[in-house]
Amino acid sequence: MLVKNPKFEISAVRPNQYPANHLPEIVLVGKSNVGKSSFVNTMINRKKLARTSSEPGKTRQINFYNMDDNFYFVDLPGYGYSKMSKKEQEQVGKFIEEYLFHRKEISLIVFLVDIRHNPTDNDKLMYHYIISSGLPCLILANKADKIAKTKVNDSVKNLQKQLNPLGDIKTLPFSSERKIYQDEVWNYIEQFIISSS
């Protein structure tokens, strides 16, 4: 998919701040620093639309990126960042829950996990949370450039086995450095944009 005029629209913490134009929303979920902002930038061939940071836990709001008025990429705050205070974690947890369980425009959740590591307890918790929302999900094994190309397929299978042993949720590799995985991810996401429009 070619996105010609992507733009950052709003950072929201309350439902009355969410966009009201009823476009399909592709939601990015994952632990802090797993690469959600880099994913957005890579998919649309921009360097800095989504602000990336080497410091985990930077995203504290829900960021809505408008893609040519066709759909949104929605970047949720990362989880599992220990330097956030207990109170901050609870607040962030609350508005993520509010969004995931009540937002009608969500078409697909893209759940990013690090291909190099086994899923953490937080990853497993988030996976079960996503499943209980009943929303369609794509598991993205991110940072595939950090391992040998020959190991990518086995690592994807291993992640799927641990998170989704039934194998009923699509699991794909991704890398912001290597653009080779982009097309397959776009092809999968596009089905959900089209079916929701």
Side-chain angles (χ1 to χ4, degrees):
M1 176 181 279
L2 183 64
V3 177
K4 292 182 178 170
N5 189 28
K7 58 181 186 283
F8 168 73
E9 192 159 306
I10 193 168
S11 287
V13 292
R14 290 187 304 279
N16 63 359
Q17 298 172 324
Y18 302 160
N21 50 12
H22 304 297
L23 294 174
E25 292 173 5
I26 306 297
V27 184
L28 311 176
V29 175
K31 69 182 176 195
S32 295
N33 234 16
V34 75
K36 298 188 302 300
S37 301
S38 299
F39 169 81
V40 173
N41 292 332
T42 300
M43 291 295 278
I44 58 171
N45 290 316
R46 294 288 190 283
K47 283 205 168 74
K48 290 182 181 162
L49 179 74
R51 286 162 295 214
T52 58
S53 170
S54 56
E55 186 188 327
K58 264 300 196 207
T59 306
R60 303 284 173 95
Q61 299 100 2
I62 299 175
N63 291 324
F64 289 82
Y65 297 96
N66 185 322
M67 302 290 132
D68 294 344
D69 289 326
N70 286 329
F71 72 98
Y72 286 98
F73 276 130
V74 182
D75 185 7
L76 294 193
Y79 55 82
Y81 179 54
S82 56
K83 283 193 184 171
M84 270 171 103
S85 73
K86 197 92 177 108
K87 194 179 174 195
E88 278 179 313
Q89 284 179 24
E90 278 170 18
Q91 283 174 335
V92 167
K94 242 178 229 160
F95 70 72
I96 289 177
E97 191 172 329
E98 166 76 43
Y99 172 77
L100 280 181
F101 280 83
H102 300 288
R103 185 69 168 161
K104 300 274 188 284
E105 284 77 6
I106 298 174
S107 298
L108 175 70
I109 292 177
V110 178
F111 180 36
L112 289 91
V113 286
D114 192 323
I115 197 167
R116 298 169 297 176
H117 308 297
N118 289 330
T120 64
D121 288 345
N122 278 331
D123 288 330
K124 290 174 182 171
L125 208 61
M126 181 51 83
Y127 172 76
H128 290 295
Y129 201 65
I130 292 167
I131 296 305
S132 67
S133 74
L135 293 161
C137 176
L138 164 66
I139 299 170
L140 215 57
N142 198 24
K143 306 199 178 190
D145 53 288
K146 307 288 188 197
I147 62 173
K149 279 184 188 176
T150 51
K151 291 184 177 168
V152 168
N153 284 344
D154 284 344
S155 298
V156 168
K157 281 177 194 154
N158 173 53
L159 268 175
Q160 177 151 37
K161 205 182 291 173
Q162 292 191 61
L163 278 175
N164 175 237
L166 281 177
D168 58 346
I169 290 176
K170 186 84 165 168
T171 304
L172 293 172
F174 192 77
S175 159
S176 296
E177 302 296 317
R178 290 183 202 151
K179 307 287 168 84
I180 51 176
Y181 305 109
Q182 239 173 307
D183 288 346
E184 199 176 350
V185 176
W186 265 130
N187 290 341
Y188 192 76
I189 288 175
E190 275 176 22
Q191 303 167 46
F192 293 89
I193 297 166
I194 291 160
S195 66
S196 303
S197 326

